[in-house]
Structures are given as C-alpha cells and as structure tokens.
Amino acid sequence: MTDSREQPSTSNTAPSPARPRSNWTAGRVIAMVFASIGGLIGLALLVGGIAVLAAYAFGRDDGYFNSDRKPLQSATYAITTQNIDLGADEFDWAPDKILGKVRVQVEGNEPVFVGIGSDADVDRYLGNVAHDELIDFHGGHSEFDPHQGGAPRTPPGKQNFWVAQTEGSGEQALTWDAEFGRWTAVVMNANGARGIDVKADAGVKLAWAIWAGLGMFVVGLLMSVGAVVVILLIGRRSSRDSTAG
C-alpha cells in the first residue's frame, strides 16, 4: 500500500550571511558633521580675509577706500547726504578711532564749500533753504529728495557748527576723524549761490582693516586645516576598524 502522505522536504538553502556591522558610530557621524561645518566656516573666513587683504593692498587711494567719482548737479542752494548714523547711543563704549577717517573730494568750476555737521545743526541752517538730499546714485543719474525753501541767510563758511569743512577753487578735499553721532555732509557754492555742478567722491581709511583681514585669514586657515585633519582621522579610523573586523 502506497503511503500518500507527503514527506517533509529537506531544504539545502544555506543561512544568509550576517549583515556587516557599520563602523560609522553615532559619535563619528556627529564629529564628521561638526568638522564639515567648521571647515565651511573656516573656508568663508579664509576667503573673506584674502579679499580684505587684497583690497587693502590694491584697492586704496592714499590709504582710503574710495568710491567712484560721480557728477552731482542741483538747481538749488545745497546738496546734502542722507543722515549718517554712526551710533550715537548704541556704541558709546567703543573708541571713536574704530570709525577711521572720512575723506570727501569735490571739484567744480566755481569755488565750492564742503562741510560735515550734526543733523540738528544742518537742519537748523538749511531748514528753510531750498536744497536737494541725495538718496541714491545709479547709472550716472543722481536721485534726490527735493526740499523747498529760499536762499541761505549767510554763506556756509560763516557758520561755526561744522566739525570739518573746506572751501575754495579747484578740487577740495575734506578729511574728518569720524566720531559717533548723527551727521550730514553738505556741498554748496562757497558764496551760497544757487546752482551746483560738481564731481565728488567719498572714501574711508580704516587703520585696523589689515589686522582684521589678517585675523580672518589666520583663523580661517586654522579652522580649515583642522577640519580636514579631523575628517581624515575619522575616515582612517573607520577604515582600520572595518579591516580589523
């Protein structure tokens, strides 16, 4: 009599090999992430330091970082800048020398006056005087905010509130050791007459710029090299543990 029951089949399939254990532990992954972030920050500082040093070496005019010379024209009695806020309250703890020196160069066919005064003093002098406030300069065109009024009562050189001033024929260069406060730069005809047609540029001299650039370069270099060393050490240790296992 034939036994119709099926006999259990014996499987010859070998057990699947155990999955290899990764040598990238959580600590190594975290260390790699922080090293990569540090390397990126270091690279940014390194590039920034090189840019500052290059500008300091090649981008200065007699020690000043200068803007391009631009034509300024107005049918009024004065051209003023927007209020220059150099932190009257926020940075009282810092030395004024951190602001560096400011230079404004103006050239016109007529004798010109260039002065810097506090916002309050300039507002009192020009409050009822027709003048243009320089808002922006792009594409060779000046953008002004016009202020209506009449003629000034006295020429600008007769005022005694200016913290820095110069006037005369030909190119005039005003230099000022910048101070904390709120200031306005003013360009007028020396006699206070209507109609201004000049070319002007502005610059700043920062004696500490080279040290800032060197600091950024050194710190960036150290951070970048340190990050590369850490990444290589982590990778080498992981490879060695893998080979040993």
Side-chain angles (χ1 to χ4, degrees):
M1 186 173 179
T2 305
D3 188 359
S4 61
R5 291 178 301 175
E6 294 181 1
Q7 299 295 326
S9 59
T10 303
S11 175
N12 295 324
T13 304
S16 57
R19 297 176 64 181
R21 184 168 59 90
S22 173
N23 294 304
W24 285 93
T25 63
R28 289 177 181 173
V29 172
I30 293 173
M32 183 68 79
V33 170
F34 277 101
S36 300
I37 294 174
L40 291 174
I41 295 174
L43 184 60
L45 288 173
L46 183 62
V47 172
I50 292 174
V52 171
L53 292 174
Y56 191 87
F58 305 110
R60 297 179 302 150
D61 175 17
D62 195 25
Y64 287 86
F65 296 97
N66 251 34
S67 67
D68 294 332
R69 179 158 291 194
K70 304 290 187 179
L72 297 175
Q73 297 176 333
S74 171
T76 66
Y77 295 95
I79 296 176
T80 68
T81 62
Q82 289 182 299
N83 293 344
I84 305 168
D85 190 347
L86 297 182
D89 303 316
E90 294 87 343
F91 303 106
D92 285 345
W93 52 268
D96 285 334
K97 288 185 178 181
I98 196 173
L99 299 175
K101 288 187 174 183
V102 173
R103 182 178 69 183
V104 180
Q105 298 182 122
V106 177
E107 182 179 9
N109 295 326
E110 302 293 332
V112 298
F113 171 90
V114 187
I116 294 177
S118 70
D119 289 353
D121 289 332
V122 172
D123 287 344
R124 278 192 294 268
Y125 176 54
L126 296 178
N128 297 317
V129 174
H131 65 279
D132 284 333
E133 181 180 358
L134 181 63
I135 302 296
D136 195 8
F137 194 98
H138 53 84
H141 176 69
S142 304
E143 182 179 347
F144 293 113
D145 180 15
H147 296 259
Q148 302 300 319
R153 293 183 178 180
T154 57
K158 298 292 185 179
Q159 304 299 313
N160 58 10
F161 61 79
W162 306 107
V163 295
Q165 67 182 88
T166 184
E167 67 176 278
S169 302
E171 181 176 280
Q172 298 297 306
L174 175 150
T175 58
W176 173 52
D177 290 322
E179 304 173 29
F180 290 111
R182 295 182 175 89
W183 311 96
T184 300
V186 179
V187 176
M188 300 177 67
N189 290 316
N191 60 3
R194 178 189 290 271
I196 301 167
D197 185 0
V198 299
K199 294 181 179 179
D201 63 72
V204 61
K205 179 188 287 188
L206 301 173
W208 49 265
I210 186 172
W211 302 111
L214 284 172
M216 292 172 63
F217 178 83
V218 172
V219 172
L221 181 62
L222 292 176
M223 289 182 67
S224 300
V225 171
V228 171
V229 170
V230 170
I231 291 172
L232 291 177
L233 288 176
I234 294 173
R236 180 176 297 180
R237 178 162 294 185
S238 297
S239 300
R240 185 174 60 190
D241 291 349
S242 177
T243 303

